[in-house]
Amino acid sequence: MPNPRAHAIIAAQGGVIRRDQLLDCGLGPSELARLRRNGALVGVRRGVVTTAEIWDALDIWVGRPRLRARAAILTMRRGWVLSHDSSAHEQELPILTPQDPHVHITRPGFTNAWTENGVKHHLARFAARQVVTIDGRPMLDLPRTAVDIARERGVEHGVVACDSAMQRGVTRAELEAAYAVMENWPGVRATREAVALADPGAENPNESLARLLVLEAGIGIPETQFPVRTAEGVRWCDLRVGNHVIEAHGKVKVVPRSAGGVADVGAAEVLFAERKRERLLCDERLGVTNLYWEDYWGARRTAAIERLRRDHADTVERFGAELDERLAREAAAIRSEYGARRAGHRPRPA
């Protein structure tokens, strides 16, 4: 679309532009229709478009839903703010993708909700201090966003959202304060449970779901980010119960960074390093269970829980039920020196 003024507006509005704005830029109705037909412009919602280049570059989990939310808020009257998933996407808060995703907006009012044209409208009380503005778009802050997701979709989604918020520095007290107004609202019980279960040690949704599976298995309360001093340096374990560690694996570990993953070497090298890592942990008299994304759903979940229970029972038989005193002392020393895993293993300043 050879129109610099239109491209400037699209950039300023986060990738979207209204039809009336395009007309103000000098594009006629017939030209807009032609651009839509040849695919140069893509409709995001009624009266709002983006360019094919922008649309094609976005993923279907966060990028396109975020653009749909920006398109929706662009046509809304004042008073509405982004909330729930839409607020999470704008603030880069990792959440679980729902089966039936919508744009979510909220404005003050008695608790109610309805869905229209792919947008879920919520009426709910919130304080002015709970509204943040990013690039001109108003939205509810991280604590309120996390507890809203918990109330909307239940404990599992809520724990992931609350874990992610705590990873970003939100405290449990702030989450509790965010749902204090929801005393008799539908779904608030799930919200309370999700906040109570939240743990900032879960570094991604995979680890959050693994923790919930461990709790369901009934083998004990898992500790997150447990450091172990091995023959080849410190290794951080996702979860630990007694002398048994649980590792949550995702495909992202073998996908190169250029493709959206975290791997800096080839997949074969990543997998070989994982096998060596498991051996190092076992050498320290620890049992290991590996969990994968597909283990959290359906029949695979039941099988994974049974496998975890068997693995843990075997570890208890071999090494005892309580964490070895040496491992406990070393873990405390490592944390005292380096802090949390996400601190990058750098010593804390004196």
Side-chain angles (χ1 to χ4, degrees):
M1 181 177 60
N3 190 304
R5 290 168 58 198
H7 281 289
I9 294 172
I10 291 171
Q13 295 179 164
V16 291
I17 187 168
R18 295 193 311 268
R19 185 177 186 276
D20 64 291
Q21 292 175 314
L22 287 169
L23 293 173
D24 289 343
C25 289
L27 283 78
S30 60
E31 186 175 5
L32 291 180
R34 178 181 59 81
L35 291 171
R36 288 289 301 271
R37 285 196 305 270
N38 67 22
L41 291 179
V42 178
V44 183
R45 68 176 289 106
R46 184 180 178 87
V48 183
V49 299
T50 188
T51 67
E53 292 80 6
I54 291 173
W55 185 255
D56 292 342
L58 298 174
D59 66 86
I60 64 173
W61 299 280
V62 175
R64 292 184 180 181
R66 180 164 50 197
L67 203 68
R68 291 190 184 99
R70 292 176 179 179
I73 206 74
L74 194 62
T75 63
M76 296 290 171
R77 290 175 295 179
R78 293 178 63 183
W80 292 101
V81 298
L82 295 174
S83 63
H84 298 74
D85 303 20
S86 300
S87 173
H89 293 328
E90 281 292 349
Q91 298 181 75
E92 299 183 349
L93 185 75
I95 60 173
L96 291 181
T97 301
Q99 290 184 341
D100 188 19
H102 294 96
V103 170
H104 290 265
I105 57 175
T106 297
R107 70 174 172 84
F110 292 106
T111 308
N112 194 10
W114 68 95
T115 302
E116 186 178 11
N117 298 323
V119 178
K120 189 158 188 179
H121 303 71
H122 302 265
L123 298 181
R125 285 177 289 160
F126 57 86
R129 59 179 170 74
Q130 291 178 296
V131 178
V132 297
T133 301
I134 299 177
D135 295 330
R137 286 177 288 275
M139 63 199 71
L140 293 176
D141 63 9
L142 289 177
R144 179 57 183 264
T145 294
V147 300
D148 274 343
I149 289 173
R151 194 173 68 86
E152 175 85 3
R153 296 210 295 276
V155 174
E156 188 172 67
H157 284 257
V159 166
V160 171
C162 291
D163 283 0
S164 297
M166 293 186 78
Q167 268 276 309
R168 292 277 295 274
V170 173
T171 66
R172 197 180 312 279
E174 289 172 323
L175 292 171
E176 292 170 344
Y179 73 68
V181 70
M182 305 175 182
E183 184 175 355
N184 296 311
W185 294 9
V188 71
R189 288 185 179 181
T191 302
R192 295 191 187 103
E193 186 173 357
V195 171
L197 290 172
D199 188 326
E203 295 185 330
N204 51 61
N206 197 348
E207 293 182 14
S208 297
L209 293 174
R211 194 173 81 255
L212 289 176
L213 188 143
V214 172
L215 288 169
E216 186 175 335
I219 62 174
I221 306 299
E223 178 182 11
T224 56
Q225 306 308 336
F226 182 73
V228 180
R229 196 181 304 280
T230 74
E232 296 184 11
V234 174
R235 298 292 185 270
W236 293 80
C237 303
D238 296 334
L239 300 167
R240 178 197 63 79
V241 176
N243 294 299
H244 196 77
V245 299
I246 301 96
E247 297 286 81
H249 299 286
K251 191 179 292 185
V252 68
K253 291 183 179 181
V254 298
V255 175
R257 292 187 185 276
S258 60
V262 298
D264 294 316
V265 296
E269 294 177 74
V270 173
L271 294 173
F272 185 64
E274 287 291 340
R275 298 288 77 76
K276 288 180 64 179
R277 168 192 171 86
E278 185 171 333
R279 184 207 68 201
L280 290 169
L281 294 175
C282 290
D283 286 347
E284 299 303 316
R285 297 176 61 80
L286 288 165
V288 180
T289 294
N290 295 300
L291 295 177
Y292 303 88
W293 187 262
E294 57 267 30
D295 288 331
Y296 307 134
W297 322 106
R300 286 291 297 264
R301 183 179 188 85
T302 301
I305 287 174
E306 290 304 314
R307 173 163 54 88
L308 176 57
R309 288 169 175 165
R310 289 195 303 269
D311 291 350
H312 177 258
D314 181 61
T315 297
V316 170
E317 183 177 350
R318 295 168 62 201
F319 306 129
E322 300 299 324
L323 178 64
D324 182 271
E325 290 185 5
R326 174 185 62 84
L327 292 172
R329 287 196 306 272
E330 290 183 349
I334 292 167
R335 285 169 167 156
S336 175
E337 182 178 2
Y338 296 113
R341 175 180 181 175
R342 54 189 176 277
H345 294 219
R346 294 189 298 272
R348 289 174 173 171

